[in-house]
Coordinates of all heavy atoms in Angstrom, one line a residue:
S72 N 57.3 83.7 161.3 CA 57.0 83.4 162.8 C 55.4 83.1 162.9 O 54.7 83.5 162.0 CB 57.4 84.5 163.7 OG 56.7 85.7 163.4
G73 N 55.2 82.5 164.0 CA 53.7 82.2 164.3 C 53.1 81.0 163.7 O 51.9 80.8 163.8
A74 N 53.9 80.2 163.0 CA 53.3 78.9 162.4 C 53.0 78.0 163.5 O 53.5 78.0 164.6 CB 54.4 78.4 161.5
P75 N 52.0 77.1 163.3 CA 51.6 76.1 164.3 C 52.8 75.1 164.6 O 53.7 75.0 163.8 CB 50.6 75.3 163.6 CG 50.5 75.6 162.2 CD 51.2 76.9 161.9
D76 N 52.9 74.7 165.9 CA 53.8 73.8 166.3 C 53.7 72.5 165.7 O 52.7 71.8 165.9 CB 53.8 73.8 167.8 CG 54.8 72.9 168.4 OD1 55.7 72.4 167.7 OD2 54.8 72.7 169.7
L77 N 54.7 72.0 164.9 CA 54.6 70.7 164.2 C 55.1 69.6 165.0 O 55.2 68.4 164.7 CB 55.2 70.8 162.9 CG 54.8 71.8 161.8 CD1 55.6 71.7 160.6 CD2 53.3 71.6 161.6
G78 N 55.5 69.9 166.3 CA 56.0 68.8 167.2 C 57.4 68.4 166.8 O 58.0 69.0 166.0
G79 N 57.9 67.3 167.4 CA 59.2 66.9 167.2 C 59.4 65.9 166.0 O 58.4 65.7 165.3
G80 N 60.5 65.2 165.9 CA 60.6 64.3 164.9 C 61.4 64.8 163.7 O 61.7 66.0 163.6
I81 N 61.7 63.9 162.7 CA 62.4 64.3 161.6 C 61.5 65.1 160.6 O 60.3 65.1 160.9 CB 63.0 63.1 160.8 CG1 61.8 62.1 160.5 CG2 64.0 62.3 161.7 CD1 62.2 61.0 159.5
L82 N 62.1 65.8 159.7 CA 61.4 66.7 158.8 C 60.2 66.0 158.1 O 59.2 66.5 158.1 CB 62.4 67.3 157.7 CG 61.8 68.3 156.9 CD1 61.3 69.6 157.6 CD2 62.7 68.7 155.7
A83 N 60.4 64.8 157.7 CA 59.3 64.0 157.0 C 58.1 63.8 157.9 O 57.0 64.0 157.5 CB 59.9 62.6 156.6
E84 N 58.4 63.7 159.3 CA 57.3 63.4 160.2 C 56.6 64.8 160.4 O 55.3 64.9 160.4 CB 57.8 62.9 161.5 CG 58.2 61.5 161.4 CD 59.1 61.0 162.7 OE1 59.6 61.9 163.4 OE2 59.3 59.8 162.8
R85 N 57.4 65.9 160.4 CA 56.8 67.2 160.7 C 56.0 67.7 159.5 O 54.9 68.2 159.5 CB 57.8 68.2 161.1 CG 58.4 68.0 162.5 CD 59.5 68.9 162.8 NE 60.8 68.5 162.3 CZ 61.8 69.3 161.9 NH1 61.7 70.5 162.0 NH2 62.9 68.7 161.5
F86 N 56.5 67.2 158.3 CA 55.9 67.6 157.1 C 54.5 66.8 157.0 O 53.5 67.5 156.7 CB 56.8 67.1 155.9 CG 56.2 67.3 154.6 CD1 55.1 68.1 154.2 CD2 56.7 66.5 153.4 CE1 54.6 68.3 153.0 CE2 56.3 66.7 152.1 CZ 55.2 67.5 151.9
A87 N 54.5 65.6 157.4 CA 53.2 64.8 157.4 C 52.2 65.4 158.4 O 51.0 65.5 158.0 CB 53.5 63.3 157.8
R88 N 52.6 65.9 159.5 CA 51.8 66.6 160.5 C 51.2 67.8 159.9 O 50.0 68.2 160.1 CB 52.5 66.9 161.8 CG 52.1 65.9 162.9 CD 52.9 66.1 164.1 NE 53.8 65.0 164.4 CZ 55.0 64.9 164.6 NH1 55.7 66.3 164.8 NH2 55.8 63.9 164.9
L89 N 52.1 68.7 159.1 CA 51.6 69.9 158.6 C 50.5 69.6 157.6 O 49.4 70.2 157.6 CB 52.8 70.6 157.9 CG 52.4 71.8 157.0 CD1 51.8 72.9 158.0 CD2 53.6 72.4 156.2
R90 N 50.7 68.6 156.7 CA 49.8 68.3 155.7 C 48.4 67.7 156.4 O 47.4 68.1 155.9 CB 50.4 67.2 154.8 CG 49.5 66.9 153.6 CD 50.1 66.1 152.5 NE 51.2 65.4 152.6 CZ 52.1 65.0 151.5 NH1 51.7 65.5 150.4 NH2 53.1 64.4 151.7
E91 N 48.6 66.8 157.4 CA 47.3 66.2 158.0 C 46.6 67.1 158.8 O 45.4 67.1 158.8 CB 47.7 64.9 158.7 CG 47.9 63.7 157.7 CD 48.9 62.7 158.2 OE1 49.0 62.5 159.4 OE2 49.7 62.2 157.3
N92 N 47.3 67.9 159.7 CA 46.6 68.7 160.7 C 46.5 70.2 160.5 O 45.8 70.8 161.2 CB 47.2 68.4 162.1 CG 47.4 66.9 162.4 OD1 46.5 66.1 161.9 ND2 48.4 66.5 163.1
F93 N 47.4 70.6 159.7 CA 47.4 72.2 159.6 C 47.4 72.5 158.2 O 48.0 73.6 157.8 CB 48.8 72.6 160.3 CG 48.9 72.2 161.7 CD1 49.8 71.2 162.1 CD2 48.1 72.8 162.7 CE1 49.9 70.7 163.4 CE2 48.3 72.4 164.1 CZ 49.2 71.4 164.4
D94 N 46.7 71.9 157.4 CA 46.6 72.3 156.0 C 45.9 73.7 155.7 O 46.3 74.4 154.7 CB 45.8 71.3 155.2 CG 46.0 71.5 153.6 OD1 47.2 71.6 153.2 OD2 45.0 71.6 153.0
W95 N 45.3 74.2 156.8 CA 44.7 75.5 156.8 C 45.8 76.6 156.6 O 45.5 77.7 156.1 CB 43.9 75.8 158.0 CG 44.6 75.7 159.4 CD1 44.6 74.6 160.1 CD2 45.5 76.7 160.0 NE1 45.4 74.9 161.3 CE2 46.0 76.1 161.2 CE3 45.9 77.9 159.6 CZ2 46.8 76.8 162.0 CZ3 46.8 78.6 160.5 CH2 47.2 78.0 161.6
L96 N 47.0 76.3 157.1 CA 48.1 77.3 156.9 C 48.4 77.5 155.4 O 48.4 78.6 155.0 CB 49.4 76.8 157.7 CG 50.5 77.8 157.5 CD1 50.3 78.9 158.5 CD2 51.9 77.2 157.9
R97 N 48.4 76.4 154.8 CA 48.7 76.5 153.2 C 47.5 77.2 152.6 O 47.8 78.1 151.8 CB 48.8 75.0 152.7 CG 49.0 75.0 151.2 CD 49.0 73.5 150.6 NE 47.6 72.9 150.7 CZ 46.6 73.1 149.9 NH1 46.8 74.1 148.9 NH2 45.5 72.6 150.1
T98 N 46.4 76.8 152.9 CA 45.2 77.4 152.2 C 45.0 78.9 152.6 O 44.7 79.7 151.7 CB 43.8 76.6 152.5 OG1 43.6 76.6 153.8 CG2 43.9 75.3 151.9
S99 N 45.2 79.3 153.8 CA 45.2 80.6 154.2 C 46.2 81.5 153.6 O 45.9 82.7 153.2 CB 45.4 80.8 155.8 OG 44.6 80.0 156.5
L100 N 47.4 80.9 153.3 CA 48.5 81.7 152.8 C 48.5 81.7 151.3 O 49.2 82.6 150.7 CB 49.9 81.3 153.3 CG 50.0 81.4 154.9 CD1 51.4 81.0 155.4 CD2 49.7 82.9 155.4
C101 N 48.0 80.7 150.6 CA 48.2 80.6 149.2 C 46.9 80.7 148.4 O 47.1 80.7 147.1 CB 48.9 79.3 148.8 SG 50.6 79.2 149.4
L102 N 45.8 80.8 149.0 CA 44.6 80.9 148.2 C 44.1 82.4 148.3 O 44.4 83.1 149.3 CB 43.5 80.0 148.7 CG 43.8 78.5 148.6 CD1 42.7 77.7 149.1 CD2 44.2 78.2 147.2
E103 N 43.2 82.8 147.3 CA 42.5 84.0 147.6 C 41.6 83.9 148.8 O 41.3 82.8 149.3 CB 41.6 84.3 146.3 CG 42.4 84.6 145.1 CD 41.5 84.8 143.9 OE1 40.2 85.0 144.1 OE2 41.9 84.9 142.8
P104 N 41.2 85.0 149.5 CA 41.5 86.4 149.1 C 42.8 86.9 149.6 O 43.1 88.1 149.3 CB 40.3 87.1 149.9 CG 40.0 86.3 151.0 CD 40.3 84.9 150.6
R105 N 43.7 86.2 150.3 CA 44.9 86.8 150.8 C 46.0 86.8 149.7 O 47.0 87.6 149.8 CB 45.4 86.1 152.0 CG 44.9 86.6 153.2 CD 45.6 86.1 154.4 NE 44.8 86.2 155.7 CZ 43.9 85.2 156.0 NH1 43.9 84.0 155.3 NH2 43.2 85.3 157.1
A106 N 46.0 85.8 148.9 CA 47.2 85.6 148.0 C 47.0 85.6 146.5 O 45.8 85.4 146.2 CB 47.8 84.2 148.4
S107 N 48.0 85.9 145.8 CA 48.0 85.6 144.4 C 48.1 84.0 144.4 O 48.9 83.5 145.1 CB 49.2 86.2 143.7 OG 49.7 85.3 142.7
E108 N 47.3 83.4 143.5 CA 47.3 81.9 143.6 C 48.6 81.3 143.0 O 48.7 80.2 143.0 CB 46.1 81.4 143.0 CG 44.9 81.6 143.9 CD 43.8 80.6 144.0 OE1 43.9 79.6 143.2 OE2 42.8 80.9 144.7
A109 N 49.5 82.2 142.4 CA 50.8 81.8 142.0 C 51.8 81.6 143.0 O 52.8 81.0 142.9 CB 51.3 82.7 141.0
A110 N 51.4 82.1 144.3 CA 52.4 82.1 145.4 C 52.8 80.8 145.9 O 51.9 79.9 146.0 CB 51.8 83.0 146.6

Side-chain angles (χ1 to χ4, degrees):
S72 62
D76 181 2
L77 301 180
I81 60 168
L82 184 64
E84 289 164 350
R85 288 176 280 151
F86 178 18
R88 255 176 248 133
L89 174 67
R90 189 168 11 204
E91 279 150 33
N92 305 331
F93 303 103
D94 194 49
W95 58 262
L96 181 73
R97 177 185 71 76
T98 58
S99 301
L100 299 184
C101 291
L102 297 183
E103 291 182 11
R105 274 195 200 87
S107 140
E108 293 210 359

